[in-house]
PDB file of all heavy atoms in Angstrom:
ATOM      1  N   ILE A  10      -3.483  22.947  -4.539  1.00  0.00           N
ATOM      2  CA  ILE A  10      -3.995  24.319  -4.513  1.00  0.00           C
ATOM      3  C   ILE A  10      -2.873  25.278  -4.879  1.00  0.00           C
ATOM      4  O   ILE A  10      -1.767  25.185  -4.346  1.00  0.00           O
ATOM      5  CB  ILE A  10      -4.558  24.683  -3.112  1.00  0.00           C
ATOM      6  CG1 ILE A  10      -5.639  23.689  -2.691  1.00  0.00           C
ATOM      7  CG2 ILE A  10      -5.097  26.114  -3.106  1.00  0.00           C
ATOM      8  CD1 ILE A  10      -6.106  23.857  -1.257  1.00  0.00           C
ATOM      9  N   ASP A  11      -3.161  26.203  -5.783  1.00  0.00           N
ATOM     10  CA  ASP A  11      -2.193  27.218  -6.214  1.00  0.00           C
ATOM     11  C   ASP A  11      -0.870  26.599  -6.694  1.00  0.00           C
ATOM     12  O   ASP A  11       0.209  27.113  -6.415  1.00  0.00           O
ATOM     13  CB  ASP A  11      -1.913  28.229  -5.096  1.00  0.00           C
ATOM     14  CG  ASP A  11      -3.096  29.148  -4.835  1.00  0.00           C
ATOM     15  OD1 ASP A  11      -3.860  29.403  -5.790  1.00  0.00           O
ATOM     16  OD2 ASP A  11      -3.247  29.619  -3.694  1.00  0.00           O
ATOM     17  N   GLY A  12      -0.958  25.478  -7.381  1.00  0.00           N
ATOM     18  CA  GLY A  12       0.225  24.864  -7.963  1.00  0.00           C
ATOM     19  C   GLY A  12       1.056  24.035  -7.004  1.00  0.00           C
ATOM     20  O   GLY A  12       2.151  23.603  -7.359  1.00  0.00           O
ATOM     21  N   SER A  13       0.555  23.784  -5.810  1.00  0.00           N
ATOM     22  CA  SER A  13       1.307  23.001  -4.820  1.00  0.00           C
ATOM     23  C   SER A  13       0.404  21.972  -4.151  1.00  0.00           C
ATOM     24  O   SER A  13      -0.775  22.230  -3.915  1.00  0.00           O
ATOM     25  CB  SER A  13       1.870  23.917  -3.730  1.00  0.00           C
ATOM     26  OG  SER A  13       2.744  24.859  -4.273  1.00  0.00           O
ATOM     27  N   TRP A  14       1.008  20.836  -3.816  1.00  0.00           N
ATOM     28  CA  TRP A  14       0.286  19.836  -3.032  1.00  0.00           C
ATOM     29  C   TRP A  14       0.253  20.303  -1.581  1.00  0.00           C
ATOM     30  O   TRP A  14       1.258  20.716  -1.033  1.00  0.00           O
ATOM     31  CB  TRP A  14       0.960  18.469  -3.129  1.00  0.00           C
ATOM     32  CG  TRP A  14       0.717  17.813  -4.449  1.00  0.00           C
ATOM     33  CD1 TRP A  14       1.607  17.674  -5.471  1.00  0.00           C
ATOM     34  CD2 TRP A  14      -0.499  17.226  -4.895  1.00  0.00           C
ATOM     35  NE1 TRP A  14       1.015  17.032  -6.528  1.00  0.00           N
ATOM     36  CE2 TRP A  14      -0.280  16.750  -6.205  1.00  0.00           C
ATOM     37  CE3 TRP A  14      -1.759  17.054  -4.322  1.00  0.00           C
ATOM     38  CZ2 TRP A  14      -1.273  16.113  -6.941  1.00  0.00           C
ATOM     39  CZ3 TRP A  14      -2.744  16.422  -5.060  1.00  0.00           C
ATOM     40  CH2 TRP A  14      -2.496  15.956  -6.348  1.00  0.00           C
ATOM     41  N   ILE A  15      -0.924  20.241  -0.983  1.00  0.00           N
ATOM     42  CA  ILE A  15      -1.120  20.639   0.411  1.00  0.00           C
ATOM     43  C   ILE A  15      -1.182  19.369   1.251  1.00  0.00           C
ATOM     44  O   ILE A  15      -1.980  18.467   0.978  1.00  0.00           O
ATOM     45  CB  ILE A  15      -2.436  21.443   0.576  1.00  0.00           C
ATOM     46  CG1 ILE A  15      -2.477  22.639  -0.377  1.00  0.00           C
ATOM     47  CG2 ILE A  15      -2.645  21.855   2.017  1.00  0.00           C
ATOM     48  CD1 ILE A  15      -1.378  23.638  -0.164  1.00  0.00           C
ATOM     49  N   ALA A  16      -0.334  19.305   2.263  1.00  0.00           N
ATOM     50  CA  ALA A  16      -0.287  18.121   3.131  1.00  0.00           C
ATOM     51  C   ALA A  16      -1.579  17.997   3.933  1.00  0.00           C
ATOM     52  O   ALA A  16      -2.211  18.996   4.295  1.00  0.00           O
ATOM     53  CB  ALA A  16       0.905  18.221   4.076  1.00  0.00           C
ATOM     54  N   ALA A  17      -1.949  16.774   4.212  1.00  0.00           N
ATOM     55  CA  ALA A  17      -3.104  16.526   5.071  1.00  0.00           C
ATOM     56  C   ALA A  17      -2.769  16.969   6.487  1.00  0.00           C
ATOM     57  O   ALA A  17      -1.670  16.728   6.972  1.00  0.00           O
ATOM     58  CB  ALA A  17      -3.452  15.043   5.050  1.00  0.00           C
ATOM     59  N   THR A  18      -3.704  17.632   7.128  1.00  0.00           N
ATOM     60  CA  THR A  18      -3.484  18.090   8.505  1.00  0.00           C
ATOM     61  C   THR A  18      -4.645  17.635   9.369  1.00  0.00           C
ATOM     62  O   THR A  18      -5.537  18.411   9.684  1.00  0.00           O
ATOM     63  CB  THR A  18      -3.361  19.631   8.566  1.00  0.00           C
ATOM     64  OG1 THR A  18      -4.535  20.197   7.959  1.00  0.00           O
ATOM     65  CG2 THR A  18      -2.130  20.129   7.858  1.00  0.00           C
ATOM     66  N   GLY A  19      -4.630  16.374   9.696  1.00  0.00           N
ATOM     67  CA  GLY A  19      -5.653  15.842  10.581  1.00  0.00           C
ATOM     68  C   GLY A  19      -6.960  15.493   9.897  1.00  0.00           C
ATOM     69  O   GLY A  19      -7.908  15.114  10.557  1.00  0.00           O
ATOM     70  N   GLU A  20      -7.012  15.622   8.580  1.00  0.00           N
ATOM     71  CA  GLU A  20      -8.238  15.273   7.883  1.00  0.00           C
ATOM     72  C   GLU A  20      -8.494  13.771   7.986  1.00  0.00           C
ATOM     73  O   GLU A  20      -7.570  12.973   8.052  1.00  0.00           O
ATOM     74  CB  GLU A  20      -8.163  15.673   6.405  1.00  0.00           C
ATOM     75  CG  GLU A  20      -8.422  17.131   6.157  1.00  0.00           C
ATOM     76  CD  GLU A  20      -7.146  17.935   5.894  1.00  0.00           C
ATOM     77  OE1 GLU A  20      -6.051  17.392   6.061  1.00  0.00           O
ATOM     78  OE2 GLU A  20      -7.277  19.092   5.541  1.00  0.00           O
ATOM     79  N   THR A  21      -9.742  13.428   7.972  1.00  0.00           N
ATOM     80  CA  THR A  21     -10.144  12.037   7.950  1.00  0.00           C
ATOM     81  C   THR A  21      -9.747  11.437   6.609  1.00  0.00           C
ATOM     82  O   THR A  21      -9.737  12.119   5.597  1.00  0.00           O
ATOM     83  CB  THR A  21     -11.681  11.944   8.116  1.00  0.00           C
ATOM     84  OG1 THR A  21     -12.046  12.629   9.305  1.00  0.00           O
ATOM     85  CG2 THR A  21     -12.155  10.514   8.173  1.00  0.00           C
TER      86      THR A  21
END
Side-chain angles (χ1 to χ4, degrees):
I10 304 172
D11 289 331
S13 299
W14 285 106
I15 306 299
T18 55
E20 280 103 352
T21 305

